[in-house]
Amino acid sequence: MSDTERSLPALKKLSYAVGHFLNDLCASMWFTYLLVFYHSVLGFQNTNAGVLLLVGQIADGICTPLIGYESDRAPGCGNYGKRKTWHLVGTLSVVLSFAFIFNQCLGCDSLTPQWASLTYFIPFIIIFQFGWAATQISHLSLIPELVTCEHDKVELTAYRYAFTVIANITVYAVAYLLFHAQAGEDGDLLSDELGPVDIPVFRNLALIVLGIGALFSLFFHLGTSERRPGAREETGGEEGSSRRNRTEEEEEDGERRPLLPRAKTSSSPLQWKCWLQQPSFYQVALLYMSTRLIVNLSQTYIAMYLINTLGLPKKFIATIPLVMYVSGFLSSFIMKPVSKRFGKSLTYFMGLLLIMAFSYWVLLDDSMGQRVYGAAVLLGAGSATILVISLAMTAELIANETQSGAFVYGAMSFTDKVANGVAVMVIQALHPCHTVQCCPACVWFYHYVMVIVTGGVAVVAALALCSILIWPIRIRPRGLSVVSDDAARIN
């Protein structure tokens, strides 16, 4: 058995890694196809389609820190564990709401006013985003509780992202098959443009996504054991002994260097209010927000770019994202050895270079045609790299403060969701067309959108990375406050 396996058994790594699979499947459809579905298929105006995405992002942004706070303090359901309890609640919410989002509203027709359709979809979107946030925060919060070594956290995060990539590949592969099956049924009558005829494609895709994701969520709940409070150092059996041996070996080798070591003068846990007083908290938040903006906005507008700017057939909204995530999946396997050899900061910078190379390619080549496959490889590999490393940096920020880890992940996601929602709304409001049919101005509009959301935001991420290099991430010693309190009592 290898050292890594002694730290956490391979089966438990697998069961943990698939715990976010349902969320990843739904997120892939949400970011890639939401605007396309509501604008090009259902015929919503650009601003109305943007409103739906904004409502979802704001709901997610509000729910995420609140769920993080409650997840840290709530004991959970019996002996099931507080993280897994919230994960189960979130999973049920997602399953019960997501299918209604990618389908025409019940009783609606071409004469139904759009405000009525908006009123119908918004409750389902809010329930879905609540469930998504509950599942995401509880799942991320398990990382620092399951493993303690820095490199094991990177590895577990990489495995988690590997299944994120598999989820995206699954969505795009199924979408391609559904479009292909539709072409086989309709023959030459099938148009290369999206329209109401594609409603069954997106509805069936949502149902397939929910079925597959529910099975993987079941495997997560059966195979992942959450440690109960007070049982951290009392884990018995071969697994507990192996974990302790692994920790001792890493400390001897100098591998286990917590990014934020505990203050020796204070043993009290770091509460959520204390995080807001830590400059490092805001450094990592800016890096994480910039990373998510690059990944999510590029995923949101890649379909519009392919259809309106490059003029490609609608099957490319499945094949190009598929190429992106295959390249991201392959790059995830080398994430741990690269970060271990060069460090996380340099690895993150390598990912940014790939993103900037994609942006420069799009800027110069306004009619790349089939060359878009090569650009998609750069974007996929770069997005995978920066996302994995940003999550690993967040896990290191938490370090041993696992009792408030959900709040940290919730706060990070809050900045991500709100920033994404606002950015999409601004882009939709600036759209030159106000009808379903795009005008020639759309060609250049989506061209520059792809350049700005990748290259422009990558510059912000680079600045955030520089701040971390100049002022390394650390927690301000809490022992200072203890000393001050003691002195005040003596005086």
Side-chain angles (χ1 to χ4, degrees):
M1 182 180 291
S2 67
D3 290 341
T4 301
E5 291 174 335
R6 288 202 299 269
S7 120
L8 194 67
L11 186 59
K12 288 188 176 295
K13 289 181 184 178
L14 179 63
S15 65
Y16 169 80
V18 302
H20 205 252
F21 200 70
L22 173 61
N23 261 22
D24 292 329
L25 290 168
C26 295
S28 178
M29 284 196 65
W30 172 266
F31 285 110
T32 308
Y33 296 134
L34 186 80
L35 294 182
V36 171
F37 177 73
Y38 282 100
H39 177 62
S40 300
V41 177
L42 294 187
F44 279 35
Q45 294 181 356
N46 286 293
T47 52
N48 287 337
V51 164
L52 290 177
L53 194 144
L54 177 63
V55 168
Q57 295 303 99
I58 291 179
D60 194 358
I62 294 175
C63 291
T64 298
L66 295 179
I67 291 173
Y69 175 74
E70 287 297 326
S71 177
D72 285 331
R73 63 189 294 268
C77 184
N79 295 326
Y80 198 62
K82 58 183 181 181
R83 310 300 188 195
K84 291 181 63 178
T85 297
W86 276 100
H87 189 284
L88 181 60
V89 171
T91 299
L92 293 176
S93 300
V94 170
V95 170
L96 294 175
S97 61
F98 188 71
F100 293 94
I101 297 175
F102 283 91
N103 196 7
Q104 193 169 26
C105 62
L106 299 177
C108 295
D109 54 29
S110 59
L111 301 178
T112 303
Q114 288 193 12
W115 66 264
S117 298
L118 289 175
T119 305
Y120 172 87
F121 286 115
I122 284 176
F124 292 110
I125 289 176
I126 293 175
I127 295 173
F128 162 68
Q129 292 293 354
F130 164 80
W132 201 96
T135 305
Q136 180 202 34
I137 295 304
S138 58
H139 192 255
L140 284 172
S141 301
L142 282 171
I143 294 179
E145 295 190 6
L146 294 176
V147 293
T148 55
C149 172
E150 289 184 24
H151 298 302
D152 283 345
K153 290 178 182 178
V154 175
E155 182 184 37
L156 202 59
T157 305
Y159 287 161
R160 180 182 184 274
Y161 185 74
F163 277 96
T164 299
V165 174
I166 294 175
N168 282 273
I169 292 174
T170 301
V171 169
Y172 302 134
V174 173
Y176 176 80
L177 292 176
L178 291 175
F179 279 125
H180 184 73
Q182 183 193 50
E185 292 177 0
D186 297 345
D188 294 336
L189 297 178
L190 181 67
S191 172
D192 283 336
E193 297 181 357
L194 291 169
V197 69
D198 297 300
I199 292 178
V201 172
F202 289 95
R203 179 195 62 213
N204 295 336
L205 180 60
L207 294 175
I208 293 172
V209 158
L210 290 177
I212 297 174
L215 291 177
F216 279 93
S217 295
L218 179 62
F219 179 60
F220 163 79
H221 282 276
L222 293 177
T224 302
S225 300
E226 181 179 347
R227 224 175 294 152
R228 293 190 298 273
R232 181 176 299 278
E233 303 297 336
E234 300 176 359
T235 306
E238 181 180 352
E239 177 186 342
S241 176
S242 298
R243 185 180 293 112
R244 288 192 295 271
N245 292 338
R246 169 65 172 169
T247 302
E248 293 172 0
E249 291 173 5
E250 291 169 345
E251 289 177 345
E252 292 175 0
D253 295 339
E255 282 186 328
R256 191 173 183 225
R257 302 186 183 91
L259 192 60
L260 303 175
R262 287 179 178 272
K264 294 182 180 180
T265 55
S266 175
S267 58
S268 59
L270 196 65
Q271 301 301 323
W272 70 271
K273 294 180 180 178
C274 299
W275 283 111
L276 301 179
Q277 302 172 5
Q278 303 294 332
S280 298
F281 176 81
Y282 298 98
Q283 287 178 283
V284 176
L286 178 60
L287 186 76
Y288 183 81
M289 181 191 72
S290 303
T291 300
R292 281 294 188 177
L293 279 173
I294 295 172
V295 175
N296 293 341
L297 290 180
S298 62
Q299 187 177 0
T300 300
Y301 285 99
I302 188 68
M304 296 292 195
Y305 171 72
L306 294 171
I307 294 175
N308 296 302
T309 300
L310 300 183
L312 298 173
K314 63 184 179 183
K315 67 178 182 180
F316 277 82
I317 69 174
T319 56
I320 294 302
L322 181 61
V323 171
M324 289 170 50
Y325 281 94
V326 167
S327 63
F329 175 73
L330 296 178
S331 66
S332 66
F333 286 105
I334 64 173
M335 209 72 66
K336 182 183 178 181
V338 170
S339 65
K340 189 173 183 179
R341 179 176 178 84
F342 299 104
K344 282 178 283 298
S345 296
L346 186 56
T347 305
Y348 186 91
F349 183 69
M350 294 177 183
L352 283 183
L353 290 180
L354 295 176
I355 298 292
M356 292 179 178
F358 166 83
S359 177
Y360 191 65
W361 192 343
V362 172
L363 179 63
L364 295 182
D365 195 350
D366 55 3
S367 59
M368 60 175 62
Q370 297 295 325
R371 292 188 296 277
V372 70
Y373 285 103
V377 171
L378 293 178
L379 181 59
S383 297
T385 301
I386 62 176
L387 185 55
V388 168
I389 299 302
S390 67
L391 288 172
M393 286 183 175
T394 306
E396 287 188 12
L397 174 68
I398 297 171
N400 296 325
E401 304 290 348
T402 57
Q403 74 290 330
S404 57
F407 170 78
V408 176
Y409 282 117
M412 299 296 168
S413 293
F414 175 79
T415 62
D416 149 41
K417 306 305 180 186
V418 174
N420 273 280
V422 172
V424 168
M425 196 62 212
V426 170
I427 294 173
Q428 294 298 105
L430 295 175
H431 199 284
C433 300
H434 301 285
T435 60
V436 178
Q437 297 296 327
C438 286
C439 65
C442 291
V443 175
W444 291 105
F445 179 77
Y446 289 114
H447 175 84
Y448 287 117
V449 163
M450 288 304 299
V451 172
I452 293 173
V453 301
T454 53
V457 182
V459 174
V460 178
L463 294 176
L465 181 64
C466 289
S467 73
I468 293 176
L469 293 175
I470 297 173
W471 298 286
I473 303 172
R474 58 184 295 274
I475 289 181
R476 288 179 175 176
R478 283 168 283 153
L480 295 177
S481 61
V482 175
V483 174
S484 299
D485 293 340
D486 290 341
R489 285 194 294 270
I490 292 173
N491 294 332

